Amino acid sequence: MNIREILGKELLFLDGAMGTQLQKNGLQGGDNPETWNILHPEVLHSIHSSYLDAGSNLITTNTFGCNKYKLEGTGYSVEEISSAAVAIVRKSIEEFEASHEENRGKHFITLDVGPLGKLLQPIGPLSFDDAVEAFAEQIKAGAAAGADLILCETFTDNYELKAAILAAKENCDLPIFVSIAPDENGRLLTGGDIASVTAMCEGLGVDAIGMNCGFGPKQFLRFLPKLTSVCETPVFVQPNAGLPKVINGKTTFDVLPDEFAEDIIELVKGGCCIVGGCCGTSPDYIRAEVKYCKEHFTCDAAGIIPVTAPEKKNLTVISSYTHAVYFGDKPLLIGERINPTGKKALKQALRDKNISYIINEAIAEEDAGVDILDVNVGLPEIDECEMMELAIKEITGVSALPLQIDTSDIKTMERALRIYNGKPLLNSVNGKEESMEAVLPLAKKYGAAVVCLTLDERGIPETVEERVAIAKKIIERAAEYGIDKKDLLFDSLTMTVSTDINNAKITLDAMRLIRSSFGVNTVLGVSNVSFGLPLRSLITSTFFTLAMDNGLSAGIINPLDERLMAAYDCYLTLKGYDRQCLNYINKYNGRTDAYSVVKNGIVSSEVAAAGGTNAGTTAVESTNQANESPLFNAVVRGLQEKAAEECKKLLKTSDPVNIIDGNLIPALDKVGKAFEQKKLFLPQLLMSADSAKAAFDEIKKYYAETGKQGKSKGTVVVATVKGDVHDIGKNIVKVLLENYDFTVIDLGKDVPPEQVVETVLKHNIKLVGLSALMTTTVVSMEETIKQLHEKAPFCKIVVGGAVLTKEYADKIGADAYSAEAMATVRYANEVFG
């Protein structure tokens, strides 16, 4: 039986923690768990069998870290480990079903795929393509060995998760389950929220979406409504056995099996189709949840608990790596300025590979209040594919807005869709057979929403009825590729009224009829309507208002045209979207002329140079303030080249210490506070840190050239404790500390307590940062702290990691607890004064 046949129809049970059971069977800190598939297969067989006895349907292979990076140095290949792991699960299932005929065919070999343990570019060293390749190696091996489905679990970076999903789609046809590990705010390490991850994963066509690790079942009950409110895919949850505690030197959990099972019932009521356990759970927990569920819910004659599949929500959505944007009642804004058509300066910037110009345009549009950024870099004389990839990477490094990928080149289109971090909007497909055959399969594979132009081989139709007919044809052809009409946005094509006075009316009538007839969303590039006319902004803004009132879902506009933005603001106010007129009042109060900067229908160069009108709200509040220097703004925005350039200028007239105290430190403080307040996220934080580092590097050059000496704030030792091979958190802390001008001695991962103590004594270290991601290695952290207190009492210790809490850190003797990387930097500043 294929699990897709029963998924979302009956309640299924995953198994529980693998690591917890391996430790009970002798796994020591520093041992590689995956090698036990070959070294101790009888132990794995016993663990799998115990979960089958407890009632688990889905049995996960012991392959969480079975990738080339985590197996390095073990002497075993990914294929060897994967094949052995699948074979052990298969044997366990076959033996169990042989004595339980009533359950034959209801158990599934679940290939467990965990994160690679490395951050992806631009915030880490690993490229997206390399990540896909590493996941592909594991998935191909597991599928070939006979796995029934793929489980990508405990992901904290949606970009890495996309790499894993693509690897699965391209190397097997097995069902794909994905599970994220959110923090206490429901966000991933790199900033993604539940809605953005769901949009991306559903677009890519996964079979089930879940959450696991980090929390007990009560905490996941808080997040479940957020997931079910936006998700049309079957949902699952694997909670920990509560929160970890250290008792007599051993890690325990605060939720026992019966309480755990009671909470699982609430999770099922909340919409879960599959439940299981994560850290700290054992077969006893699974047995309890199966028992409680069968007692609480009505079973059919075969003892199966029916569940209701998630309802269809028909949400038209795209996403960035941080958030989702939904199309619907309120019109959205798509910024059109990153498009070379009619823009000499942008064309030259593309020829010169002047990415700073493109980044500045993106920032200006974001500051002006757009929801989505259109990105078109097509010029005949450049490599469009190369430039598009560079533009996407650089823009998403400084802006959290979703992108509209705008290209007619199929090679560029596929590459952009592949490397984009989120669910993009693709511009565009049209009614030509050639276009639909080329574009729609790509949109399906990469999960994009698509702008659909109502033209075909005959050109742009002159009548409303012909444009509506083309829309109908595209909807039907998209359905053949498995694309729902909710992922299609229709452009009824804006034509200039200077050539035909009926053009605007035809466009608006066609748009209104397409929306009402097919229940789809709409998009228009509005500026074409005024081409060839004087004071174009007058015509364009009026047409924009008419379009919104006729059902426009999103307008592609120049957000630096204040007349257009004023039309938009007034429309939202008059239609009731601007509650109590607050946005209108905040923006226009005290102004006597809403169009004072618009001359002859064109935005003044002063406004464009200043980065727009600051109409919108951004992750970090607009930095274009009179009392904030260009260097300050460059660091806040994460503009490395700009930061270095502005620092060079200041060094000609200012003392380096004043530059640091007056620009760099305030900028980093602003970014740090925004990060702590969840107004910006890890990629933006690291981009700002790198920009500050670029400025600091210029200061160091200045010291070297003048013979003066720049000083480090102090030296910090960082390490991931013995037995723990997860070092992402530690690496992030290292980068931030270095960019705040601390010297860092990085001891790496799986570091014995004695090595930490030896290093501290040798270098007279005042601060050590320790990291642990696994509950089982907190014991090593406690031992390291104990030895440091005994032999180096002068040294302060800050600890962090997903399994830790403030109370936990206090119990094991740490001087400070860091919930996230910036807290470590702030504590270092305290320690070193």
Side-chain angles (χ1 to χ4, degrees):
M1 178 183 294
N2 189 310
I3 194 170
R4 290 189 177 113
E5 297 174 14
I6 58 176
L7 183 60
K9 299 175 183 177
E10 62 180 74
L11 184 62
L12 299 172
F13 297 94
L14 276 153
D15 50 16
M18 173 60 69
T20 302
Q21 299 308 300
L22 287 176
Q23 285 146 16
K24 287 181 179 178
N25 283 275
L27 180 72
Q28 299 297 311
D31 289 350
N32 185 294
E34 285 71 33
T35 61
W36 277 46
N37 291 294
I38 294 175
L39 299 175
H40 305 287
E42 71 287 350
V43 173
L44 271 303
H45 178 267
S46 175
I47 293 171
H48 295 321
S49 298
S50 64
Y51 279 122
L52 286 162
D53 287 333
S56 295
N57 304 100
L58 283 69
I59 305 299
T60 52
T61 58
N62 178 35
T63 53
F64 179 83
C66 184
N67 61 72
K68 64 181 181 181
Y69 300 110
K70 290 184 176 179
L71 290 182
E72 188 176 3
T74 64
Y76 296 104
S77 69
V78 171
E79 184 177 2
E80 286 176 307
I81 297 289
S82 299
S83 299
V86 169
I88 296 168
V89 174
R90 181 188 299 109
K91 178 182 177 183
S92 302
I93 289 175
E94 288 174 350
E95 290 180 359
F96 179 81
E97 290 189 346
S99 57
H100 296 78
E101 284 291 333
E102 70 280 7
N103 292 320
R104 184 173 293 278
K106 287 295 184 72
H107 301 95
F108 304 94
I109 304 171
T110 305
L111 185 71
D112 195 12
V113 178
L116 299 172
K118 293 180 177 290
L119 287 169
L120 271 63
Q121 297 172 353
I123 61 174
L126 193 65
S127 74
F128 183 78
D129 292 331
D130 285 343
V132 173
E133 180 185 349
F135 285 123
E137 183 181 15
Q138 178 183 2
I139 289 166
K140 279 192 290 189
D148 296 313
L149 70 144
I150 311 297
L151 171 61
C152 304
E153 59 141 319
T154 325
F155 277 76
T156 58
D157 178 359
N158 43 343
Y159 200 31
E160 186 181 19
L161 179 55
K162 178 176 181 177
I165 295 170
L166 283 179
K169 290 180 67 173
E170 293 172 348
N171 291 281
C172 71
D173 58 0
L174 298 178
I176 304 169
F177 290 13
V178 299
S179 182
I180 59 172
D183 65 13
E184 68 277 5
N185 297 300
R187 286 191 176 272
L188 302 189
L189 173 70
T190 50
D193 63 8
I194 289 172
S196 65
V197 175
T198 300
M200 182 190 75
C201 291
E202 287 196 326
L204 290 168
V206 304
D207 295 273
I209 298 175
M211 301 178 288
N212 76 294
C213 204
F215 303 105
K218 284 185 172 62
Q219 288 79 12
F220 278 121
L221 280 168
R222 290 194 297 114
F223 300 143
L224 186 60
K226 296 180 182 179
L227 179 56
T228 56
S229 68
V230 296
C231 189
E232 296 182 349
T233 304
V235 167
F236 67 97
V237 176
Q238 288 180 281
N240 288 352
L243 299 175
K245 294 182 177 180
V246 175
I247 299 176
N248 297 325
K250 292 185 177 181
T251 302
T252 62
F253 289 81
D254 62 359
V255 175
L256 297 176
D258 286 343
E259 181 185 354
F260 183 86
E262 290 173 354
D263 291 334
I264 288 292
I265 288 174
E266 298 305 313
L267 287 168
V268 175
K269 287 180 181 179
C272 288
C273 299
I274 309 170
V275 289
C278 201
C279 297
T281 60
S282 66
D284 289 339
Y285 284 79
I286 305 304
R287 185 174 292 104
E289 70 178 23
V290 172
K291 176 177 178 290
Y292 275 59
C293 286
K294 288 189 173 181
E295 290 175 351
H296 186 87
F297 299 106
T298 302
C299 299
D300 64 14
I304 294 169
I305 303 170
V307 294
T308 303
E311 63 179 9
K312 293 294 181 183
K313 299 175 178 63
N314 295 316
L315 300 172
T316 300
V317 57
I318 62 173
S319 68
S320 68
Y321 70 91
T322 64
H323 68 284
V325 171
Y326 295 88
F327 295 83
D329 193 30
K330 174 186 171 183
L332 302 177
L333 298 179
I334 302 174
E336 70 176 13
R337 292 181 61 83
I338 307 175
N339 187 321
T341 304
K343 301 183 182 72
K344 291 182 179 179
L346 179 56
K347 287 181 180 179
Q348 192 58 47
L350 292 172
R351 295 186 189 104
D352 297 340
K353 291 189 177 181
N354 181 3
I355 200 68
S356 295
Y357 184 95
I358 296 172
I359 288 174
N360 288 333
E361 289 288 348
I363 291 172
E365 292 191 287
E366 181 173 7
D367 284 348
V370 302
D371 303 287
I372 301 159
L373 295 172
D374 180 83
V375 181
N376 184 320
V377 295
L379 280 182
E381 63 265 41
I382 70 169
D383 185 332
E384 183 183 356
C385 188
E386 178 186 20
M387 179 55 72
M388 177 66 84
E389 180 168 357
L390 177 62
I392 289 174
K393 289 179 178 179
E394 294 293 334
I395 291 170
T396 54
V398 299
S399 173
L401 294 181
L403 301 186
Q404 173 173 273
I405 295 168
D406 189 354
T407 180
S408 58
D409 181 73
I410 297 301
K411 177 185 174 185
T412 300
M413 187 180 293
E414 175 155 25
R415 184 59 184 166
L417 291 172
R418 187 174 186 82
I419 59 98
Y420 177 70
N421 188 357
K423 179 181 180 180
L425 178 59
L426 177 61
N427 190 2
S428 59
V429 71
N430 60 56
K432 297 178 182 179
E433 284 299 322
E434 180 184 13
S435 175
M436 291 187 289
E437 290 176 2
V439 175
L440 292 177
L442 293 180
K444 175 62 177 177
K445 177 178 179 178
Y446 294 106
V450 192
V451 174
C452 306
L453 308 182
T454 52
L455 61 87
D456 60 15
E457 287 83 359
R458 297 167 296 176
I460 300 175
E462 296 183 355
T463 69
V464 170
E465 292 74 19
E466 288 175 300
R467 296 186 194 188
V468 173
I470 292 173
K472 183 174 184 291
K473 178 172 70 171
I474 295 174
I475 290 172
E476 291 172 348
R477 292 287 277 117
E480 293 174 11
Y481 288 100
I483 301 173
D484 193 282
K485 65 181 182 180
K486 70 180 181 181
D487 282 325
L488 306 177
L489 295 93
F490 284 86
D491 186 339
S492 55
L493 300 172
T494 304
M495 307 299 292
T496 178
V497 293
S498 63
T499 59
D500 187 334
I501 199 63
N502 292 311
N503 273 341
K505 184 177 184 303
I506 292 170
T507 296
L508 295 176
D509 288 348
M511 181 182 67
R512 185 175 60 253
L513 189 55
I514 289 170
R515 180 157 187 168
S516 62
S517 299
F518 306 122
V520 293
N521 284 286
T522 58
V523 62
L524 280 179
V526 301
S527 62
N528 285 347
V529 73
S530 61
F531 187 79
L533 297 174
L535 283 174
R536 291 185 61 187
S537 188
L538 290 175
I539 290 288
T540 304
S541 60
T542 303
F543 175 71
F544 185 30
T545 302
L546 289 172
M548 289 188 285
D549 209 42
N550 277 272
L552 179 65
S553 304
I556 304 174
I557 70 161
N558 174 11
L560 303 192
D561 184 331
E562 284 207 343
R563 192 178 295 275
L564 270 175
M565 293 303 294
Y568 180 70
D569 295 332
C570 291
Y571 180 84
L572 295 187
T573 301
L574 295 173
K575 282 295 205 177
Y577 297 113
D578 184 4
R579 291 193 176 184
Q580 298 177 313
C581 307
L582 290 178
N583 182 66
Y584 184 86
I585 292 170
N586 290 335
K587 186 172 178 180
Y588 296 103
N589 186 36
R591 296 177 62 172
T592 57
D593 182 359
Y595 316 122
S596 59
V597 294
V598 178
K599 301 172 183 177
N600 298 322
I602 302 173
V603 180
S604 70
S605 59
E606 290 83 2
V607 173
T613 60
N614 299 325
T617 57
T618 58
V620 182
E621 294 176 2
S622 175
T623 62
N624 298 305
Q625 305 295 327
N627 62 337
E628 294 174 349
S629 73
L631 175 57
F632 177 97
N633 292 335
V635 172
V636 169
R637 280 295 191 181
L639 306 176
Q640 295 180 44
E641 292 182 8
K642 183 72 171 174
E645 175 188 334
E646 294 299 335
C647 189
K648 280 183 185 179
K649 292 179 183 178
L650 286 177
L651 284 168
K652 294 177 181 178
T653 58
S654 302
D655 182 78
V657 174
N658 292 334
I659 295 173
I660 293 169
D661 292 343
N663 295 271
L664 300 182
I665 298 303
L668 288 170
D669 284 344
K670 180 171 183 174
V671 171
K673 288 175 183 176
F675 177 74
E676 290 171 343
Q677 295 166 359
K678 304 300 180 183
K679 292 181 179 179
L680 61 74
F681 307 99
L682 184 62
Q684 295 156 301
L685 177 68
L686 293 180
M687 291 292 286
S688 291
D690 284 341
S691 298
K693 185 177 185 299
F696 277 121
D697 286 344
E698 293 301 323
I699 292 173
K700 290 176 182 176
K701 288 179 187 177
Y702 171 84
Y703 281 136
E705 292 169 359
T706 60
K708 297 179 180 180
Q709 184 67 34
K711 291 185 178 180
S712 165
K713 290 182 179 179
T715 302
V716 182
V717 167
V718 297
T720 300
V721 299
K722 182 173 175 57
D724 206 317
V725 295
H726 303 87
D727 59 357
I728 285 181
K730 182 263 296 174
N731 291 341
I732 293 168
V733 169
K734 176 187 176 183
V735 169
L736 288 178
L737 284 169
E738 288 177 336
N739 286 322
Y740 272 80
D741 224 23
F742 289 96
T743 300
V744 179
I745 298 175
D746 183 2
L747 298 181
K749 55 193 176 185
D750 190 20
V751 181
E754 296 76 16
Q755 184 180 350
V756 177
V757 173
E758 180 184 346
T759 305
V760 167
L761 293 174
K762 179 179 179 181
H763 298 281
N764 194 31
I765 300 298
K766 293 174 64 176
L767 178 62
V768 167
L770 300 176
S771 173
L773 189 65
M774 300 166 61
T775 57
T776 53
T777 56
V778 178
V779 176
S780 296
M781 180 179 280
E782 184 178 21
E783 177 60 27
T784 304
I785 293 171
K786 178 182 176 184
Q787 290 192 25
L788 282 170
H789 284 331
E790 292 175 354
K791 300 176 182 178
F794 54 85
C795 181
K796 297 292 185 182
I797 305 157
V798 57
V799 299
V803 298
L804 294 173
T805 63
K806 176 65 169 63
E807 295 73 21
Y808 208 13
D810 291 342
K811 281 186 178 180
I812 61 177
D815 295 294
Y817 163 67
S818 173
E820 40 76 24
M822 273 306 300
T824 303
V825 175
R826 297 196 184 285
Y827 185 66
N829 279 325
E830 291 179 18
V831 170
F832 290 95

